[in-house]
Structures are given as C-alpha cells and as structure tokens.
Amino acid sequence: MQEGNSTNQKTPFGNQKLLETIAELRKTTVCVKRQETLITAAEKSHAEVVQAFLPSGINVLENELGRKSLYKAVYNCHASVVKVLLNSGVNPNDLFISNNGIKQSFIYLSVYKGDIDTTTLLIEAGADVNIPNVNGITALMTAASKGRLDMMTMLLQAGANIYQEDLLGGNTALCYAAKSSNIEAISLLLEAGAEINYHSKAGVSALTSAAGDGQLEAVKFLLENGADINGSSQLLILPIIHGYHEVTKLLIKSGADVNTRFTDGSFPLNVAAGVGNLEIVNLLLKAGADVNMRGTHNITALLTAAENGFCNIMRVLIDNRANVNAMDIDGHTAMYYAKREEYQDIVMLLKQSGGKIDKSKIRRLYL
C-alpha cells in the first residue's frame, strides 16, 4: 500500500503534522509541560492542538487551566479554540485575572475585544451576560460605549440588565452610550425599554452623563426625546468645571435652573467664578443667576473669585451689583482674601468699588 504524504503520516501518537505543530509550540513555551503547551495553543489559535490534548489526560476542567486557556483564546479572538474549550466543558462564567491584574468575565472580554463570534459562542454556552468586571462594568455597557449595535442586540436578547449600574459612579448602559455620544446606541436602549430620565442611586442620568462629558449632540438628542432638564441638581456642575461652553449654553437655553444648589453646597455662578470661566459667568448672569447667592460657609461668587485671584470676573460681578463687603462664615470679606493673597489689582478694584478693610482681621495675617 502506498504511503501517504509524510506530513500527514499516522504515528503511534497521532498525526505527524499535529506533532510537528506541538513541537513548534513547545519552542515558544517556557516549560514543555503539556498544560503550558495547551495554553500556548489556545493563544495561537491552534484548535486542532487543543482538541488533540483534551483526551490525553489533561484535566481542562481544572479551574486554573481551563480559565487560562479560555482567556488566551477569547483575548486573541480565536473563536475556533473557544468553541473547542466550551464544548469540552470549560465554564463560561468563571472569572479570570487579566494581564493588568483586573478580575473580568469572559463575556465582558469578548465584547471589549469586539469579537461577535466569540461573544455568540459564550452566550450559546450559557454565559451570564450580567457578570461585571471589578469596576462593575458589564458587557452591555461596553457595547453601548463602543456603539456595537449587533452586540447590544444580542446581549439584550440574552437578558442583559438595562439598569445595572457600575461602581464608578452608578452609570448604566444608557449613560455609557450618552458619554460616547452614540446616538444609535442611545436609541436602541430607549427602544428596548430604558427610561430616559432614570437616575441611578448616585443621581446619575443619561443627560448628566452626556453633559458632563461635553457631548453636545447627545445632549440635544436626549432633550429632544424628553429628558428632564431639571431632573438633577447636578446637571450644570461638570460642564461648567470643564468649560463646555456650547453644552452649558444649550442647557441654560433649555431651561436649566441657574440658581440650583449642588450637593456640595455650591452653585453654578460660584463654580464658574472659582474656575475663572468668564464666558460662563456672563452666560449665567444673563440667564438670571443670583449674583449674591450664598453657598457653603456663606461663600459668594465674589468671595470665591477674590480668593482665586480672578480680577476680571470680580469686575463683571461688581458691575452686576455683587456685594463687595459680603462676609463668609468666618467674617472674611473679599478684601481680606485679596490682602492675604497679595492680589494688588483686586485690592485696588475693591477700594474703587467701596470695599472695606477690617483692620483687626487684616492685622492677624501678619502676626
């Protein structure tokens, strides 16, 4: 009988070509143990090697070996290897420690890597699509952030929880879509039943998420589709701090309360004055912000601007009738802070505007 091709020749141990592949893999492995060769085969997408190793006495169901092999296959998007391992009984709901030391689920990793084939295989094998990573981020949140409508649809059909919140501030999948300004992803989640005005336990909503990340188009879309402009007292704080002028303009134009009080006791005009944002200060004043509103410790916007050395903002506030002699809870005026920080331009402005010097308090600065 004629011999076949030598590379396909059968040996007592199996296919010659397969043995050559295994030998080559062992060259890239620190140790020649079969377990490590199996992990390397999974990493390099040698499904036939993985398949060959399963009946050879290796217990792939042993947690560490199974996790490592499946992790390598999912991370490198090797669907054929993933299929072999899952069919052999590796648990798709085991958690693993990634290269950067973060505990993750396989379904999260497959979505993060953007591989629809491995995601499909994991779901078909019974993967729990709601298992989050160590930061509470789920596969649906990740797909929404990336705008992967195909994966989002698959995950929702598999029972993904629309209202599950992460541990980084209580963000839901809708918040992730809003932060990334993925309009189609936002639409898909709304169609799937997500409540546009849902607020997490931390008070976060899709609108606060979009506004806080300066996503103008997402803010527009959410407002046009019924987002409550005053559903959260925190709506204006991040756009002001980060200087998102267009977002802040749109929110104010849409009826955001310019005299709202944030959870830390501050208020929009005070925050804008504290970060030195003259344009937003003018926007807020034009929209009716109370120039003499008081926050925590009786702080006014003028006192905040004085302490931080923003003379141009103080001038605008004074022109809008800010009380130049307003005192904080300790009895300190804007003049006190200007003297303490040696802001001579502010001292001059305050003197010209009727600012008083409390000599007893100023004297303490030099004792």
Side-chain angles (χ1 to χ4, degrees), residues 19-47:
L19 292 179
E20 291 173 359
T21 303
I22 293 172
E24 185 62 30
L25 285 170
R26 283 178 170 168
K27 293 178 182 178
T28 66
T29 310
V30 175
C31 179
V32 296
K33 292 180 181 179
R34 288 180 298 170
Q35 290 91 338
E36 295 195 16
T37 302
L38 174 63
I39 293 171
T40 304
E43 180 181 15
K44 296 183 177 298
S45 191
H46 290 293

Side-chain angles (χ1 to χ4, degrees), residues 32-335:
V32 296
K33 292 180 181 179
R34 288 180 298 170
Q35 290 91 338
E36 295 195 16
T37 302
L38 174 63
I39 293 171
T40 304
E43 180 181 15
K44 296 183 177 298
S45 191
H46 290 293
E48 73 283 0
V49 175
V50 176
Q51 184 69 63
F53 265 59
L54 295 180
S56 67
I58 293 179
N59 181 14
V60 76
L61 296 182
E62 188 273 319
N63 285 343
E64 190 63 21
L65 179 59
R67 279 197 298 265
K68 283 184 178 180
S69 300
L70 189 55
Y71 165 65
K72 294 293 186 180
V74 173
Y75 182 84
N76 291 287
C77 305
H78 299 325
S80 60
V81 177
V82 170
K83 184 175 183 179
V84 169
L85 291 169
L86 291 174
N87 287 342
S88 72
V90 176
N91 187 355
N93 290 316
D94 272 345
L95 299 180
F96 64 90
I97 304 298
S98 64
N99 290 335
N100 56 9
I102 296 177
K103 184 177 287 188
Q104 295 180 346
S105 68
F106 294 114
I107 190 69
Y108 168 84
L109 179 61
S110 68
V111 172
Y112 177 81
K113 298 293 287 187
D115 187 15
I116 192 72
D117 292 331
T118 57
T119 301
T120 301
L121 288 168
L122 287 165
I123 290 176
E124 290 176 347
D128 182 349
V129 296
N130 292 311
I131 296 178
N133 71 1
V134 70
N135 293 317
I137 302 173
T138 65
L140 183 60
M141 295 172 191
T142 304
S145 179
K146 292 176 176 290
R148 287 296 302 268
L149 304 186
D150 53 349
M151 287 189 167
M152 290 176 66
T153 300
M154 184 185 301
L155 292 165
L156 288 167
Q157 291 174 344
N161 183 356
I162 292 178
Y163 296 114
Q164 193 160 337
E165 301 173 13
D166 69 14
L167 302 177
L168 302 175
N171 299 288
T172 64
L174 189 59
C175 294
Y176 274 86
K179 283 173 175 287
S180 302
S181 201
N182 283 310
I183 305 302
E184 290 183 331
I186 295 173
S187 297
L188 178 58
L189 290 167
L190 294 177
E191 290 170 4
E195 168 54 50
I196 197 168
N197 288 312
Y198 175 82
H199 285 75
S200 70
K201 292 184 283 291
V204 178
S205 70
L207 186 58
T208 60
S209 298
D213 275 39
Q215 300 292 1
L216 182 61
E217 294 306 313
V219 171
K220 285 181 182 178
F221 180 83
L222 291 165
L223 289 172
E224 289 169 358
N225 284 272
D228 184 358
I229 189 67
N230 287 309
S232 171
S233 63
Q234 297 295 102
L235 182 60
L236 286 171
I237 189 167
L238 288 180
I240 292 175
I241 288 175
H242 296 305
Y244 299 138
H245 297 163
E246 294 304 314
V247 169
T248 304
K249 285 180 186 178
L250 176 59
L251 294 173
I252 292 174
K253 182 180 178 181
S254 300
D257 183 2
V258 294
N259 289 312
T260 189
R261 194 173 295 279
F262 302 134
T263 54
D264 64 356
S266 62
F267 49 92
L269 190 60
N270 184 50
V271 173
V275 297
N277 197 316
L278 181 59
E279 182 176 350
I280 291 181
V281 165
N282 279 316
L283 274 174
L284 291 166
L285 290 170
K286 186 176 179 180
D290 182 355
V291 74
N292 289 308
M293 186 173 179
R294 292 178 178 274
T296 305
H297 305 306
N298 278 342
I299 293 290
T300 65
L302 188 76
L303 286 165
T304 298
E307 186 174 13
N308 289 282
F310 297 127
C311 187
N312 58 342
I313 288 179
M314 291 187 66
R315 187 172 288 108
V316 169
L317 294 171
I318 291 171
D319 288 344
N320 282 270
R321 300 185 178 181
N323 181 359
V324 296
N325 291 308
M327 295 183 182
D328 63 17
I329 197 171
D330 297 315
H332 298 149
T333 64
M335 183 68 81

Side-chain angles (χ1 to χ4, degrees), residues 1 3 27 49 60 86 91 98 114 139 173 239 256 294 349 356 358-360 365:
M1 184 172 65
E3 294 288 339
K27 293 178 182 178
V49 175
V60 76
L86 291 174
N91 187 355
S98 64
R294 292 178 178 274
L349 173 63
K356 296 177 182 178
D358 185 335
K359 294 182 179 179
S360 65
L365 295 174

